[in-house]
Every structure is written in structure tokens, then in C-alpha cells.
Amino acid sequence: MKIPFSPPYIDDDIKREVMETLDSGWITSGPRVLALEKLVAEQTGLAHVACCNSATSGLMLLLHWFGVTRGDEVIIPAYTYAATALVVMHIGATPVMVDSGEDFNIDIAKVKERITSKTKAIIPVDIAGWPCDYQELFELVNAPEVRARFKPVTENQKKLGRIMVLSDAAHSLGATYAGKPIGTWGDFSVFSFHAVKNVTTAEGGAMCINLPQPTFDHAEVYRTLKLWSLNGQTKDALAKTNGAGWRYDIVYPGFKMNMPDICAAIGLAQLRKYPTFMLPERKRVAEAYAKGFANYSWAIVPPMKDDVRESSYHVFALRIKGITEAQRDSLIERITEVGVSVNVHFQPLPILTVFRERGYRIEDYPVAFSCYATEISLPIYPQLDQDKIDYIIDAVVRAYKSL
Ligand SMILES: *Cc1c(COP(=O)(O)O)cnc(C)c1O
């Protein structure tokens, strides 16, 4: 049996939506992007969501919107995908890394120690789709002594009056925290529609606007983000196609980060069936794994649901008790030999060259390292039936027994 790690979910509805887009005569940013924004907003309970060409772009644009720049610090987890750190570096600021907890997410108790007068934002990441503790995080950024240390420079920083919480929700579309969907917790939250994510547009992202109201006008923030993600141009290509409307202005040195309609079409057709089909299917697979591994005391299954949160089941991050990094690698080799593709989420950033060369040391992030060293991500997607799930569990059990 050959089981791929994360094939995209493509059915007839998705093909039809893409074909209709091709036939419509309009393939870049247009009505389908607007429809996707509206659907994400509906599903998260927000009024304004702005799509862009990747979560990476969205995170960077939002840091720029907040005026984060050279000399500033942004707190991020050491245990995440590199994009969380790179966006901070791209705008000239310094990523300040914090170790994770046993649930893979940033350890909020340790965040406090790393806040300085230069801290402008925190980027929590809902690793594997498991929400961070947002109540604890907001208590922290709102604490009088933490607010007192915040040094606002730009207009938006003055209006917010505290550290911005920019949620990297690349994994957590569909997850909930305290009964409310992810997207409605951070000041902003950014979903990723990359090909391996729960909902995809091949490449793409969505910026959810959830700043305090009425301090901020969400409609105005939305317009700004759309303008800045399309060269700062007052009219998009669709608006200009109507003959007499050719004249436009460039009012801001914006970026080119807009999502094309041809991509939005894929996401639109997927998202329509995400809450009722694709997400429950992921949950089915996760629960089948949890049941299958329940008899093995060496298998630690990831957090999925408790009193306050439920995962989006993006990654099934299995951990094996007490093994070394080398033993984990050899388990992966044995599992792969029988046709099952697995993965590791994530290599903590300090072990990657670009961060090591900038002075980050893995020794400072022992929990992140131990999560990484013992972790194997198993395939999880709607197309996995019980036979395949049993085959995967069997492959892991056999590999472990042969260690
Ligand atoms: C995938 C991912 C991103 C980047 O998403 P893109 O849409 O590919 O830019 C950012 N953060 C995390 C944690 C991710 O897994």
C-alpha cells in the first residue's frame, strides 16, 4: 500500500468551480476572492476578512500595518514553521523566540520574561490546529505593568496602546477556543490556504480583522489592507477593465500580494463543505488514531479537545515516549519502507542554519527540542478510510517493536 502524506482534496465541485472561473473570462482578483472573503467571515463570525497570496504575505503586511520596523522585537515560538520568524526579519525587526509547552504551543509563562520596551507584537501559533491559550495571552498583554512598558510610535500603535496579538492561524481554520472560532481571538489572525493546509487555494492566505472596536474601524482597516496588498493602487484590474474607468492612482508604496480568482475558486468550493464534511472527516481520522494507539503506553497522542478548545485536526503529531532523535529517524525510515509517508512538524527554528547563524541556540529551547525529537506526523485527510488508518497504525507499531 502507498499512502501519501497530504494530497489536496479535489472533487467534482472543486473542478467545476475552477472551470467556471476559466470560462468566466476573469482569472485574477475579482468576484471569487470577494466570495471567499465573505465565506471565511461568515464561518468565523467576523465582518471583515481580506485574502492575500499566502499566510506569509498576510503576516508580513499586518506587521507593516502596525508599524513594526527596525529596532523592534516580535515574540514568536521557537517551535513553528520558519515563515513565522522570516516575516519579522523581512520588515527589519528581531524575532525573539520562546520555548514551547508540552502541547507544542508557545509557553505563555515564558513569554512574560521576554517582553521588553522594544516588543511590538506577539505571534502565537496554533500548532497542529490546537489553539493557544488566548485568554492567558490577552491577560498578559493587558496587564498594567506590561502596558506601561509598551512604547507606541505609530498612529495604530498609539490607538491599540499595547502589544499586538497577531495570531499565526495557518493550521487552525475551524478550531475553537472558549466556544468561539479561531479568527476571532487575535487582534488579527492569518489563515493559510497553502496546498497542504486544511482548506487550500494552492497558495493563499486570509487576514481576519478583530481589532478592538470602536477604536478601530474594521471596514477602513479592510480597505487599507486590500489597497496595500495591490501596489497601493486605487483600482484593481477588474475595476479598470470598464473602458472609461482606466484612470487610477497609486497612493501608497504597496506590495503585490493579491489572491487570483482562479485560486480562490478552489478554496471557495472546499470551504463550502469544510464545516460539514472535510473538517469532520479529519476529526474521524484523528479519533481513529487516538483509539488505535490507546493500548500502547509508548504512544502519546496530541491534544484534540478539552473543556475550552477543540483542534482543527491539521496535523496528527504523534510522540513516542522516551526515544532519541536518532531512534525517531529510524522509525520514520521503517514506516516509509512499507509505503506510508510521514513527516516531522517542526524542526525548532534554532536548528535551522539561518537562525543558528544569527545566534539562536537550541539548548535554550529544551521542550521544543524534545517535542521535535520524539515527534512523527501521521497522514490526516478526508480520503483516508479505516483500512488505510489501520495499515498506518500497524506500520508505526511494527516499526516501534523492531527498534
Ligand atoms: C504553512 C505555514 C505558514 C505559511 O503559510 P503560507 O500560506 O505557505 O505562507 C505560516 N506558519 C505556519 C505555522 C505554517 O505551517
Side-chain angles (χ1 to χ4, degrees), residues 52-59 77 79-85 87 123-128 168-171 190-197 201-206 314-315 345-346:
C52 54
N53 63 359
S54 72
T56 306
S57 297
L59 289 167
Y79 194 83
T80 181
Y81 179 61
T84 318
V87 294
I123 311 184
V125 186
D126 303 322
I127 297 288
D168 179 340
H171 300 178
V190 181
F191 295 128
S192 170
F193 298 132
H194 177 266
V196 302
K197 301 291 160 53
T201 57
E203 296 283 357
H314 172 56
V315 168
H345 292 92
F346 289 92

Side-chain angles (χ1 to χ4, degrees), residues 55-57 59-60 63 76 80-90 123 168 349 352 355:
T56 306
S57 297
L59 289 167
M60 195 180 110
L63 288 174
I76 64 164
T80 181
Y81 179 61
T84 318
L86 296 178
V87 294
V88 177
M89 289 156 67
H90 291 330
I123 311 184
D168 179 340
L349 303 182
L352 303 173
F355 303 108

Side-chain angles (χ1 to χ4, degrees), residues 7-18:
Y9 181 83
I10 305 294
D11 65 12
D12 288 344
D13 293 333
I14 292 157
K15 290 178 189 166
R16 191 176 317 119
E17 192 71 37
V18 171

